[in-house]
């Protein structure tokens, strides 16, 4: 149902109206509405074509996902331009850097609106007629199929079972999450335009127009649920790495070192370079956190990265508290009932080491500070003050806080 067909039928209708007025009521005549029958015929013939295209699109998406390796690629310029036009048309903003002269602005805006309605090979135009709701329904089903199959391939592990991937790692999860976020942002942006076009093309359909557009909201919610599951999986990976390193960190003693309290008391001096003597297990933990941050920050928004790390750090803090509450086995050596040498002080120095190493990751500075504050709180609350080997000395805490090495 093209715009050219509609234009031609409008001209025929206008001629019919003019001849009816010219003949007048005094001259008997009959005039049949040519457009009504033709639109009905075209609509009947178009629906099977739409359905066939829809089935072909489903097959193509399935084939693409079955061989998808979830690797980072550069987005072609045509796709970037189309996305910018879709978002720009929905928000009323023009793509940057167009440099269009005033006399060409209207024409280019019309072309932009027309192009922005192209989605998965379907050109949405204002002359859909009765086929508009069916096309939108097909788009919703296409998106739903993509979401379900992507879920099976990545979270369901079918990509490994089919030997497309050796294993599912954080990079694959992050890129899949990026796809979900894109659809979540794009579909609501298009709904207002689609609704307006359907209402103009199917004025007699009434509430039937709202149903397919409303189904797109359900699709968006399904993508949001998929993204939440991906967040949970990434959180679980971080939590598992903490469990691995915490078994050594909280299950074995720190290395015995001859710590001289005098230079440690000079932590407040910016020029002092004092080794914190962290537990050996923390080096591997820091590497895992940095590696995960690097992967996620490349493919996910800053808000999403903070969400994943915020939830993971909260779980880590809870596990840390449970471990301290269950009781810690200490011995002398390496621990002594002196400042900087007790278990509480050594754990506090571990926190200072984590802040020193992970504080460079600006994208997770807030959840990191929450984690370190929680760890400090649990050390102060859970280690018995009556045991000199486990006691957290106030003087040690004061020096580290004044020097900015641990949270206040």
């Amino acid at each position: 149902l093209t715009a050219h067909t509609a234009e031609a039928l409008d001209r025929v209708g206008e001629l019919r109206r003019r001849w009816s007025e010219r003949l007048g009521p005094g001259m008997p005549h009959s005039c049949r509405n040519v457009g009504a029958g033709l639109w009905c015929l075209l609509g009947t013939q178009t629906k099977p074509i739409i359905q066939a295209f829809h089935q072909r699109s489903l097959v193509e998406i399935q084939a693409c996902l079955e061989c998808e390796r979830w690797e980072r690629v550069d987005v072609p310029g045509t796709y970037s331009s189309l996305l910018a036009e879709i978002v720009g048309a929905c928000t009323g903003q023009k793509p940057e850097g167009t440099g269009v002269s005033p006399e060409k602005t209207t024409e280019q805006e019309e072309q932009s609106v027309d192009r922005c309605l192209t989605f998965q090979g379907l050109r949405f135009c204002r002359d859909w007629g009765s086929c508009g709701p069916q096309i939108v329904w097909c788009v919703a089903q296409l998106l739903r199929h993509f979401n379900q199959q992507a879920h099976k391939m990545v979270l369901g592990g079918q990509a490994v079972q089919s030997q497309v991937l050796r294993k599912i790692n954080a990079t694959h999860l992050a890129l899949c999450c990026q796809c979900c976020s894109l659809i979540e942002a794009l579909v609501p942006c298009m709904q207002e335009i689609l609704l307006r076009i359907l209402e103009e093309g199917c004025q007699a359909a009434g509430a039937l127009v709202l149903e397919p557009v409303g189904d797109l909201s359900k699709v968006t919610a399904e993508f949001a649920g998929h993204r939440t599951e991906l967040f949970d999986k990434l959180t679980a990976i971080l939590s598992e790495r903490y469990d691995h390193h915490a078994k050594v960190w909280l299950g074995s003693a720190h290395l015995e070192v001859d710590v001289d309290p005098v230079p440690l008391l000079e932590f407040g001096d910016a020029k002092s370079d004092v080794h914190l003597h962290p537990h050996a297990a923390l080096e591997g933990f820091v590497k895992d956190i940095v590696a995960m941050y690097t992967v996620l920050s490349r493919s996910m928004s800053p808000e999403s990265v903070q969400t994943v790390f915020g939830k993971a750090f909260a779980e880590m803090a809870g596990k840390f508290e449970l471990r301290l509450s269950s009781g810690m086995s200490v011995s002398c050596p390496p621990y002594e009932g002196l400042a900087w040498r007790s278990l509480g002080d050594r754990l506090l120095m571990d926190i200072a080491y984590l802040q020193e190493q992970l504080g460079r990751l600006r994208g997770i500075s807030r959840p990191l500070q929450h984690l370190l504050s929680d760890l400090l709180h649990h050390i102060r609350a859970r280690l018995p003050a009556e045991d000199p080997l486990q006691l957290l000395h106030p003087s040690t805490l004061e020096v580290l806080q004044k020097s900015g090495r641990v949270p206040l």
Side-chain angles (χ1 to χ4, degrees):
L1 305 180
T2 65
H4 296 292
T5 304
E7 184 180 353
L9 290 176
D10 288 342
R11 288 199 299 267
V12 172
E14 180 63 20
L15 289 173
R16 180 176 63 85
R17 184 186 63 80
R18 290 180 181 178
W19 277 105
S20 296
E21 293 177 353
R22 179 173 297 184
L23 292 174
M27 183 176 295
H29 65 278
S30 62
C31 189
R32 185 169 58 90
N33 187 351
V34 179
L38 185 58
W39 281 122
C40 182
L41 177 62
L42 290 176
T44 303
Q45 294 177 346
T46 302
K47 289 181 180 180
I49 297 175
I50 294 174
Q51 190 61 31
F53 180 83
H54 175 60
Q55 293 300 324
R56 189 184 71 183
S57 299
L58 290 175
V59 172
E60 290 178 355
I61 283 184
Q62 183 68 33
C64 289
L65 285 174
E66 287 178 353
C67 62
E68 176 61 56
R69 299 189 60 83
W70 299 99
E71 298 174 344
R72 288 178 55 85
V73 296
D74 294 329
V75 179
T78 53
Y79 292 162
S80 299
S81 300
L82 179 58
L83 178 62
E85 290 174 3
I86 292 174
V87 176
C90 295
T91 60
Q93 299 177 353
K94 300 177 183 177
E96 297 181 359
T98 55
V100 184
S101 58
E103 61 271 15
K104 294 185 179 180
T105 300
T106 303
E107 179 182 356
Q108 184 157 352
E109 285 181 351
E110 292 176 354
Q111 293 176 354
S112 176
V113 172
D114 188 38
R115 285 190 63 201
C116 82
L117 300 177
T118 303
F119 196 84
Q120 191 60 30
L122 296 177
R123 181 172 296 276
F124 296 142
C125 61
R126 297 184 180 278
D127 302 296
W128 277 344
S130 59
C131 294
Q134 182 184 5
I135 294 176
V136 177
W137 180 86
C138 289
V139 171
Q141 296 306 309
L142 200 66
L143 291 172
R144 182 173 281 116
H145 180 73
F146 172 84
N147 187 44
Q148 293 171 350
Q149 295 305 310
H151 187 283
K152 292 179 181 179
M153 297 301 293
V154 180
L155 285 175
Q158 285 191 5
V160 176
Q161 297 173 13
S162 60
Q163 298 183 349
V164 175
L165 298 174
R166 293 182 58 186
K167 64 177 182 178
I168 304 295
N169 58 34
T171 300
H172 305 136
L173 296 170
L175 290 173
C176 188
C177 184
Q178 186 183 46
C179 291
C180 293
S181 299
L182 175 63
I183 300 300
E184 278 186 78
L186 184 59
V187 173
C189 188
M190 297 179 63
Q191 279 182 290
E192 182 179 350
I193 292 180
L194 294 176
L195 180 60
R196 183 171 66 250
I197 293 174
L198 288 179
E199 288 176 341
E200 293 176 357
C202 310
Q203 296 180 1
L208 294 177
V209 172
L210 301 177
E211 185 175 352
V213 178
D215 194 37
L216 288 174
S217 298
K218 298 178 182 178
V219 172
T220 303
E222 292 171 10
F223 273 93
H226 186 182
R227 179 174 55 84
T228 300
E229 291 187 51
L230 291 166
F231 281 2
D232 292 342
K233 183 61 177 179
L234 291 168
T235 298
I237 293 175
L238 284 169
S239 185
E240 185 276 330
R241 297 316 300 162
Y242 169 81
D243 293 341
H244 172 77
H245 296 294
K247 287 181 181 179
V248 181
W249 178 31
L250 303 177
S252 61
H254 290 73
L255 294 178
E256 184 177 2
V257 293
D258 185 14
V259 182
D260 185 0
V262 175
L264 291 173
L265 291 174
E266 299 175 357
F267 258 123
D269 184 0
K271 297 181 180 180
S272 63
D273 184 16
V274 181
H275 198 283
L276 292 168
H277 302 286
H279 197 288
L282 291 183
E283 182 178 354
F285 176 67
V286 167
K287 288 182 178 179
D288 286 344
I289 295 296
V290 172
M292 178 67 84
Y293 175 80
T294 302
V295 168
L296 299 190
S297 60
R298 287 176 179 173
S299 303
M300 296 169 58
S301 67
E303 294 78 12
S304 297
V305 174
Q306 288 198 34
T307 299
V308 171
F309 276 95
K311 186 175 181 180
F313 285 165
E315 292 183 4
M316 295 176 191
K319 294 178 179 180
F320 182 81
E321 180 184 16
L322 289 176
R323 181 65 183 87
L324 295 188
S325 300
S326 64
M328 301 286 290
S329 177
V330 294
S331 61
C332 178
Y335 304 110
E336 301 180 37
L338 302 174
W340 306 100
R341 300 183 185 182
S342 66
L343 173 63
D345 290 5
R346 296 298 298 273
L347 289 176
L348 187 62
M349 295 167 72
D350 289 342
I351 294 178
Y353 171 77
L354 292 177
Q355 177 163 298
E356 177 184 275
Q357 298 297 315
L358 300 179
R360 307 164 186 171
L361 309 180
R362 302 298 183 186
I364 57 171
S365 57
R366 180 173 297 180
L368 176 63
Q369 287 304 306
H370 286 313
L371 169 65
L372 300 180
S373 297
D374 289 343
L375 296 182
L376 174 58
H377 171 75
H378 297 325
I379 291 174
R380 300 178 68 177
R382 298 302 178 184
L383 290 182
E386 63 275 8
D387 186 350
L389 295 182
Q390 299 190 51
L391 173 66
L392 173 61
H393 293 85
S395 59
T396 304
L397 177 61
E398 180 182 3
V399 170
L400 290 175
Q401 285 183 331
K402 284 185 177 181
S403 63
R405 301 297 180 98
V406 297
L408 296 175

